[in-house]
Amino acid sequence: MFNDLEHDQLSNIYLQCLVEIKSFRKVHNVLLDEVPLNKLYQPFFELYKQFTQQDCVFEPSEVMSRHQLSRWKAYKHEN
């Protein structure tokens, strides 16, 4: 679907979005469900649309599920 350059650009912008989300949480001392995910993922959505001419389907609940799963895996690994 994406060539190597497009994939790299999408990956990089996605990682930047994650950094922004972590920064927002730290600055505002909030839980993930209190973060404006739609707003902070917007640069990724725009680039995705530029490449595909389609809107990106985004489910905040999916982000929450992945976050909880990664936390659980980290907890299991520590104990």
Side-chain angles (χ1 to χ4, degrees), residues 29-57:
N29 194 27
V30 296
L31 298 173
L32 186 58
D33 60 348
E34 300 171 287
V35 175
L37 295 173
N38 284 328
K39 179 182 175 188
L40 294 175
Y41 276 119
Q42 193 61 38
F44 176 82
F45 300 151
E46 290 171 1
L47 187 59
Y48 182 92
K49 187 171 186 171
Q50 178 183 338
F51 291 153
T52 65
Q53 305 304 316
Q54 298 176 355
D55 288 329
C56 184
V57 177

Side-chain angles (χ1 to χ4, degrees), residues 69-79:
L69 181 61
S70 70
R71 288 291 187 203
W72 173 248
K73 286 180 179 178
Y75 174 78
K76 275 182 63 177
H77 182 70
E78 291 172 358
N79 294 316

Side-chain angles (χ1 to χ4, degrees), residues 57-74:
V57 177
F58 177 72
E59 291 292 331
S61 62
E62 179 69 22
V63 173
M64 299 299 291
S65 297
R66 289 180 183 200
H67 175 72
Q68 291 169 347
L69 181 61
S70 70
R71 288 291 187 203
W72 173 248
K73 286 180 179 178

